[in-house]
Amino acid sequence: MAKKKVQEEHDVPVIMERPVTIDGFFGHARQVALLGRLLEKGMVSSSLLFSGPASVGKASLAFRLAAALQCKAPLPWACGRCPSCLKAQKGVHPDIRFITLEVNEDTGKERKEILVRQAREDIIGHLSLPPYEGRKLIFIVDPAEAMNAETQNALLKSLEEPPAYAQFILVSANAANLLPTVRSRCQEVTFGLVPQKTLQTIALAAGLEGAEAKEAISSSAGAPGVIFSGSWREAAKRRERLLALLQFGLQAEQYPKLAPMMEELAKEPPRAVLAEALRITAEARRALSLKGGGPNQQMSKAAKARGEHSLSRIAERLAEAPAHIERNVNPRLLLERVFLAP
Ligand SMILES: [Zn+2]
């Protein structure tokens, strides 16, 4: 049952098609070229790790790579027309499997970890049998860093010596949280933020124009997924609030203004808040290192108000935040600890 619910919430529902071809995938030209060459030579490593910031397109490219590995046409990337591609596109290819966070049946909430049971039942349990119809049996694990230590350890052997037909693609926005033993067994493909010019093309493709496009691009902060999903409207608010925390967090007299912002942020998905907090902190540090403070006025102001030492302390505290989130530390308290301390 739990599995079915997750399917509905996380995987693309069967009725909604998911693109498999490489055209329509924006940005990351270097990574696309690298993977294209590996596909052409049949040299895609059986254990891949896609790492980099959230919502930049890692999962989307992982899926396109999976479709390409199954595609019947002799092209490096998926043709989008053969029976295999059509199944992948509809989300019903039996040999492309997703391992993600389940919904806890007791609480109705998404679990915070990928459990060892999932690794045993959904991965290891299938590895002894070859693919049903595809060339490969593909497991996309996303978010991979949500695998707890037990889950990761259970997968070590499979990652190191998989059967010839197995393909793992771990997708992670926080690869530092993976066990070094897992990370070292994978070929890592790193992703960065998408540049402004590409974001403009993406906004256009998402049907946005003028002021809306501008706002979507700015709140996406280099993460196209934010534009495509429409979550930029919430993201814009989230970013605004986090920027205020960054800029005024050390000024005690601003607390009455910041408190309701933290209340609102605490209601949001913790990982989305954390990802944005990491982004703006990195941007602020960049702004500080640039002469004249960089193009974004508000960001420069926030960066100056904090200074390099405080920004690096915030980055350290944010790096520890996932562990606190896992231990169910009150999100409101966590925000105070991260932003209201020097
Ligand atoms: Zn095809």
Side-chain angles (χ1 to χ4, degrees):
M1 246 338 258
K3 238 194 225 166
K4 185 154 175 282
K5 275 190 204 154
V6 171
Q7 205 82 13
E8 285 162 9
E9 289 186 13
H10 291 282
D11 292 352
V12 172
V14 174
I15 34 156
M16 202 169 101
E17 301 220 328
R18 171 182 262 200
V20 294
T21 57
I22 199 64
D23 41 277
F25 181 79
F26 298 96
H28 310 298
R30 184 178 61 79
Q31 292 82 347
V32 169
L34 166 75
L35 293 166
R37 280 197 303 275
L38 294 172
L39 277 168
E40 220 159 15
K41 293 183 194 156
M43 284 176 66
V44 177
S45 157
S46 59
S47 300
L48 285 172
L49 166 62
F50 284 10
S51 67
S55 304
V56 293
K58 302 183 301 298
S60 172
L61 191 59
F63 182 68
R64 283 168 159 97
L65 177 66
L69 285 163
Q70 306 289 25
C71 176
K72 312 281 185 207
L75 302 161
W77 290 97
C79 74
R81 290 181 303 272
C82 73
S84 168
C85 281
L86 294 178
K87 276 193 183 174
Q89 207 165 316
K90 288 186 186 132
V92 295
H93 198 299
D95 298 314
I96 302 178
R97 312 182 73 96
F98 295 91
I99 292 85
T100 185
L101 293 164
E102 289 183 344
V103 171
N104 183 329
E105 282 186 352
D106 299 331
T107 63
K109 282 188 183 168
E110 187 181 77
R111 286 187 196 278
K112 295 195 170 77
E113 292 180 339
I114 295 179
L115 308 175
V116 70
R117 173 180 52 74
Q118 293 178 261
R120 293 205 180 109
E121 288 176 6
D122 302 340
I123 300 178
I124 299 164
H126 291 275
L127 273 179
S128 55
L129 289 171
Y132 284 102
E133 55 180 63
R135 287 192 301 200
K136 292 274 180 186
L137 177 55
I138 302 174
F139 302 94
I140 299 177
V141 185
D142 180 19
E145 73 276 10
M147 292 190 286
N148 60 31
E150 198 188 359
T151 310
Q152 294 187 51
N153 278 318
L155 278 185
L156 278 183
K157 197 170 161 280
S158 308
L159 287 171
E160 185 155 71
E161 292 169 352
Y165 48 73
Q167 173 72 52
F168 291 95
I169 312 176
L170 309 186
V171 179
S172 178
N174 201 348
N177 266 27
L178 288 169
L179 295 177
T181 42
V182 165
R183 211 170 171 180
S184 66
R185 278 165 173 77
C186 297
Q187 183 186 349
E188 187 162 346
V189 183
T190 56
F191 291 73
L193 294 170
V194 169
Q196 187 77 8
K197 208 173 149 207
T198 313
L199 292 172
Q200 281 163 358
T201 316
I202 290 169
L204 206 65
L208 299 170
E209 290 174 338
E212 274 204 331
K214 226 174 155 182
E215 201 178 336
I217 289 169
S218 120
S219 58
S220 80
V226 174
I227 301 177
F228 279 125
S229 68
S231 64
W232 59 271
R233 291 173 206 275
E234 300 135 55
K237 262 196 215 119
R238 184 181 305 145
R239 187 176 167 81
E240 208 175 283
R241 289 174 178 143
L242 285 166
L243 251 174
L245 284 176
L246 202 65
Q247 188 169 353
F248 303 113
L250 296 180
Q251 301 170 20
E253 71 278 11
Q254 297 281 357
Y255 187 82
K257 215 171 84 185
L258 299 180
M261 293 187 187
M262 287 189 284
E263 293 294 339
E264 290 304 316
L265 286 167
K267 290 181 205 155
E268 294 193 53
R271 271 177 307 143
V273 176
L274 179 62
E276 186 59 40
L278 281 166
R279 264 201 292 271
I280 65 159
T281 309
E283 279 177 49
R285 295 179 83 177
R286 238 187 339 268
L288 215 52
S289 70
L290 291 172
K291 265 194 191 144
N296 186 330
Q297 288 271 320
Q298 205 197 343
M299 181 60 77
S300 306
K301 269 190 203 159
K304 275 193 200 129
R306 279 285 174 176
E308 171 54 31
H309 178 71
S310 178
L311 287 175
S312 73
R313 292 287 300 128
I314 289 175
E316 281 166 29
R317 294 194 287 262
L318 286 173
E320 290 161 9
H324 295 306
I325 293 171
E326 271 160 37
R327 283 202 303 274
N328 284 320
V329 171
N330 178 314
R332 168 77 167 72
L333 198 66
L334 196 56
L335 284 163
E336 283 208 17
R337 278 193 213 157
V338 170
F339 286 103
L340 302 195

